[in-house]
Amino acid sequence: MQRSVGFMGLGLMGGPMASRLVEAGWGVAGWNRSRPALDSLEAAGGRAVAETADLASLPVLAVMLPDLPQIEAAFEPIFARWALEAPQQGTLVVVFSSVSPVDVRAFGERVAQASRGAASVVDAPVSGGQRGAIRGTLSIMVGAEPAQAEALAGLFAPLASTVVRLGPRGSGSLAKACNQLVVGATAAALAEAAVLAETAGLDVGQLFAVLGGGLAGSRVLDQLGPRIVARDYTVTGPARFMAKDLRFVEAAAHDGGARLPLAAAALDIYTRLNEAGLGGEDLAVVHEYTRRASGMTDRETATP
């Protein structure tokens, strides 16, 4: 495959991912709604484009936008360009975003129709946060045919330490839904553990240190624990997206006939967190939400 990619969405995750591809020798043309991210891409050695249609002829189109409505809007100009000139045969659209497993299959059908069969969609959602995007240590969950996954190995290599093909299109997004269930529920459990410790006068930092050395240790604890202790909710991954991802879990459970009470409880927590106006901060802000729900003082006046 030609080492040339169009990258749409250069935010907290997409920007570092595109930069890593540039460093690995890929020709990266990027599109983003805001200019500063494009300036950063150009500073790294990539090329900025003004319209997504300018990416239509590239052999790989990668997307890291919030959800499928934004992805579909970004592809409308590409579809219009394809109506005039079909893309090269075998073009791959790689959806790195966390999207609905059901809806990404429908998007794949639309891409195939718009490209007259020349392009196909692979869903490849990622886990590992901004730190993983910067370091190239993401975990990529791939929904693709075997030949497609093999063709994209060179694209994934600079981005991830773990790449697993789980099945056909939609499988990666289902795996990401499972990932978000574990992450979201664990983050909420850590927040509740911290609040419980605080009400008893325990030092939360010491608590998390001892939990990290036992069976309760996890990467979620490693990453969110220090932020919870410091009450530092500087965004590395907005908490608001967790409710969206857990709705995908709920829909997949409904389709499969599974009963997931923990997922339902987590969805309720993050929905209420968004309603409380905290969704724009880091996932660790579930601690602040839990404090408020428990009647404790807010972050500015609380005593550590």
Side-chain angles (χ1 to χ4, degrees):
M1 175 177 288
Q2 301 173 42
R3 292 171 64 83
S4 182
V5 59
F7 209 110
M8 289 170 268
L10 302 172
L12 291 170
M13 296 290 291
M17 291 169 69
S19 294
R20 286 200 62 84
L21 290 172
V22 172
E23 292 171 8
W26 281 74
V28 179
W31 172 86
N32 197 68
R33 285 171 289 186
S34 62
R35 183 68 212 185
L38 294 173
D39 293 338
S40 296
L41 176 65
E42 288 183 325
R47 175 172 62 91
V49 301
E51 303 290 341
T52 57
D54 297 332
L55 306 174
S57 63
L58 294 175
V60 181
L61 299 177
V63 192
M64 182 52 97
L65 292 167
D67 201 352
L68 272 173
Q70 292 82 12
I71 294 172
E72 291 172 340
F75 265 83
E76 287 300 337
I78 293 174
F79 291 158
R81 183 68 61 86
W82 284 352
L84 301 174
E85 182 179 353
Q88 55 185 288
Q89 193 67 34
T91 294
L92 291 175
V93 176
V94 184
V95 179
F96 285 122
S97 313
S98 299
V99 298
S100 161
V102 175
D103 293 345
V104 77
R105 291 194 287 268
F107 177 63
E109 295 301 321
R110 190 175 180 204
V111 166
Q113 182 178 13
S115 67
R116 300 186 288 283
S120 56
V121 170
V122 168
D123 61 316
V126 304
S127 180
Q130 188 183 36
R131 180 187 301 177
I134 293 170
R135 296 179 176 178
T137 57
L138 294 170
S139 178
I140 302 182
M141 296 155 258
V142 183
E145 298 305 317
Q148 294 172 328
E150 183 177 352
L152 290 167
L155 180 78
F156 295 151
L159 307 176
S161 56
T162 303
V163 180
V164 177
R165 175 189 169 269
L166 293 128
R169 184 171 62 239
S171 302
S173 296
L174 182 59
K176 181 59 186 287
C178 294
N179 180 87
Q180 294 304 86
L181 170 57
V182 173
V183 172
T186 303
L190 288 172
E192 293 191 4
V195 168
L196 180 60
E198 289 168 345
T199 60
L202 298 184
D203 183 297
V204 177
Q206 290 181 338
L207 172 68
F208 283 172
V210 73
L211 294 183
L215 193 58
S218 69
R219 291 189 180 180
V220 180
L221 173 56
D222 292 343
Q223 291 196 21
L224 296 189
R227 299 179 204 168
I228 290 174
V229 172
R231 298 183 196 163
D232 176 9
Y233 310 130
T234 303
V235 64
T236 62
R240 66 176 176 270
F241 293 140
M242 185 56 71
K244 175 205 73 169
D245 294 343
L246 290 171
R247 282 193 289 273
F248 297 155
V249 173
E250 182 181 58
H254 181 268
D255 286 347
R259 180 177 176 275
L260 305 178
L262 183 58
L267 175 57
D268 181 67
I269 288 170
Y270 290 102
T271 299
R272 292 177 183 272
L273 182 153
N274 286 341
E275 292 171 350
L278 298 172
E281 300 195 66
D282 191 79
L283 181 59
V285 83
V286 68
H287 173 233
E288 178 64 23
Y289 167 76
T290 306
R291 288 179 59 83
R292 294 184 186 183
S294 300
M296 301 176 74
T297 53
D298 64 23
R299 76 186 78 159
E300 290 79 16
T301 60
T303 301

